[in-house]
Amino acid sequence: MALGDGAVEGLLGWPDSHPILIGNRAVVSAYPPADSNNPGERGIYQIWGTDGTAAGMVQLLTDPHLVPFPPSSSSRWGAIFFAYPADDEQDLLLGEPVTIYQTDGTVAGTLPLLELPRGMIPDDPVDIGGHLYFLAYEYDRDGFRLWTSDGTIKGTAAFFAGTTVGFHPPYFQRFGNSIVFLALGVDGIVGLWRTDGTPEGTTLVARLADDELWNGEQRWSFRVVAGKIYFWAPASPDVAGPLHPWVSDGTAAGTHRLADVALAEPPYILAGWGQFAAAGQKVFFAADDGIHGNELWSTDGTPGGTVLAADLWPGYLSSDPRELTAIGEELVLVAQTPLTGAELHVFALCTGAAQRVADLASGPSWGEPENLLWDSNRQILVFAANNGLHGREPWAWVPSGDSGPCSSKAPLPAVSVR
């Protein structure tokens, strides 16, 4: 059953972010219904804390003159988010000071951390090693800079300056003792950059693509996985064409294309599209080789070790695997088939076989699970889905048995969704 036994339906409405687990609570952002008489109309964006029950779900920021942006996980502060000042109609007062909030998933534990300087529009905060990294537009410069902060005014400073960042979210990732990110350089080329958080310690690793050839959607997939950097880019920076999977070891010489397969064009905006995920000794992604459609591939980080892992919709049609989530020696993902629509599947690394977990929206209707998050402590997968009865609501899946078909104890039995 859905978390909250369906009572959450009238409370959350439209979950809009991955749940952030903090102890025995979770933080999630959502648009509630505008009012009880019109549940189909979105209300005002809000941040919620929950213990997994309807009774335990509370709105964390209740000031009507503050509008929160999506939360990010923080090893130091639990979760953090930007709160923008707003007028009585909740229209943003852009240019007024924005506050960074911290939260532990409770109202009492949701507190202001730092007020940023006036004239900034910050976005995309990431906590890496107890330091925040984020992109901000600055009115007085009429441009963007990348910033870092330790939560204090003194420890908050820009490290990548000028309008060269553009509207490209950097997607900061920890890589060894440094941070890697994507940014638009002064030459009009999107590049892979490396930094220690200072201007003098920020260097270009590799040129990836001319800005005009750079499709923004694949930036979601820039990620450090299994000690290497994976991303999508054209065959060369100056050539238009399909986007291919690339890998980098953090050096120009160690940056190369993995295979002559392409990132498929999504039929519409889909969560988790084009992502890379590690499971076992492999990294998985979805790609189209022109023969099998958009299906599941795996790689060991070398061109020779990049192969088709599973064709979930056999033939040239696409199952469009997405939301790739590792659970031990299994990979949970969302994929579509002609009989069940888009539903949860499990790919077993030991057998190379995939099976459907549950048909949440029966028949060819789409349950379309998204925002998958595995809680290894409680051995539970939480996600948002629509079973055709309650709208899009939080759900949880508890795998039955030990650890699935790759366990030496028992094969994966029929699973339960609750």
Side-chain angles (χ1 to χ4, degrees):
M1 62 183 175
L3 288 176
D5 299 330
V8 183
E9 173 190 6
L11 183 63
L12 273 182
W14 294 268
D16 192 57
S17 67
H18 283 271
I20 297 172
L21 301 179
I22 308 173
N24 61 355
R25 296 189 64 79
V27 174
V28 65
S29 56
Y31 295 90
D35 57 66
S36 58
N37 297 323
N38 191 7
E41 181 178 342
R42 290 189 179 191
I44 297 171
Y45 189 83
Q46 296 171 0
I47 304 289
W48 301 84
T50 180
D51 61 4
T53 68
M57 186 167 295
V58 293
Q59 184 180 340
L60 298 180
L61 193 66
T62 58
D63 187 335
H65 294 105
L66 290 175
V67 175
F69 272 40
S72 296
S73 178
S74 170
S75 60
R76 182 176 177 184
W77 296 291
I80 51 99
F81 59 90
F82 292 124
Y84 278 69
D87 60 20
D88 292 340
E89 303 298 323
Q90 289 232 315
D91 292 326
L92 299 184
L93 300 176
L94 298 179
E96 293 300 308
V98 174
T99 302
I100 302 175
Y101 270 76
Q102 65 182 72
T103 182
D104 61 3
T106 68
V107 175
T110 301
L111 304 167
L113 174 66
L114 175 67
E115 184 177 275
L116 296 174
R118 184 183 302 272
M120 293 178 62
I121 303 179
D123 202 1
D124 299 303
V126 176
D127 176 349
I128 300 178
H131 279 72
L132 297 181
Y133 295 83
F134 58 93
L135 170 71
Y137 175 81
E138 299 168 61
Y139 280 100
D140 60 347
R141 300 176 62 90
D142 190 22
F144 293 81
R145 289 195 291 179
L146 298 182
W147 287 69
T148 183
S149 175
D150 62 1
T152 68
I153 292 292
K154 185 178 179 181
T156 301
F159 66 89
F160 191 90
T163 59
T164 57
V165 177
F167 281 100
H168 297 278
Y171 293 89
F172 301 107
Q173 298 277 308
R174 178 193 289 275
F175 186 67
N177 295 323
S178 60
I179 307 298
V180 290
F181 61 96
L182 300 180
L184 179 63
V186 293
D187 57 357
I189 297 293
V190 176
L192 171 62
W193 295 76
R194 192 168 184 169
T195 186
D196 61 3
T198 66
E200 58 274 13
T202 302
T203 58
L204 178 67
V205 174
R207 300 167 71 248
L208 304 184
D210 185 284
D211 181 39
E212 295 182 357
L213 306 178
W214 188 251
N215 182 326
E217 304 306 329
Q218 86 277 6
R219 295 194 305 270
W220 296 344
S221 309
F222 172 75
R223 190 179 175 191
V224 174
V225 184
K228 294 183 179 180
I229 308 163
Y230 290 86
F231 55 91
W232 297 93
S236 67
D238 307 311
V239 177
L243 300 172
H244 304 281
W246 284 67
V247 66
S248 176
D249 63 2
T251 68
T255 302
H256 57 82
R257 185 170 56 159
L258 281 171
D260 190 18
V261 296
L263 175 68
E265 184 72 22
Y268 55 92
I269 296 177
L270 291 171
W273 189 263
Q275 75 184 105
F276 297 93
Q281 302 300 312
K282 302 289 185 179
V283 172
F284 291 84
F285 60 94
D288 190 342
D289 63 357
I291 300 174
H292 300 92
N294 188 40
E295 297 294 345
L296 187 66
W297 286 70
S298 69
T299 182
D300 61 3
T302 68
T306 303
V307 298
L308 179 67
D311 189 0
L312 283 80
W313 191 333
Y316 66 91
L317 295 176
S318 301
S319 67
D320 292 335
R322 51 200 181 271
E323 294 278 356
L324 311 182
T325 304
I327 300 179
E329 290 296 308
E330 277 79 49
L331 184 74
V332 178
L333 55 100
V334 176
Q336 60 212 35
T337 66
L339 297 180
T340 62
E343 300 289 356
L344 281 180
H345 289 72
V346 173
F347 176 80
L349 277 65
C350 58
T351 64
Q355 69 179 70
R356 178 170 50 84
V357 170
D359 191 7
L360 297 180
S362 61
S365 299
W366 288 27
E368 191 61 65
E370 63 180 5
N371 296 333
L372 275 61
L373 179 66
W374 173 246
D375 182 349
S376 59
N377 292 326
R378 294 189 292 173
Q379 296 290 292
I380 186 173
L381 182 78
V382 291
F383 56 93
N386 186 346
N387 68 350
L389 300 174
H390 300 103
R392 182 158 297 278
E393 299 295 343
W395 284 73
W397 170 51
V398 181
S400 302
D402 292 303
S403 57
C406 293
S407 169
S408 59
K409 298 181 181 179
L412 184 72
V415 297
S416 60
V417 176
R418 71 174 190 179

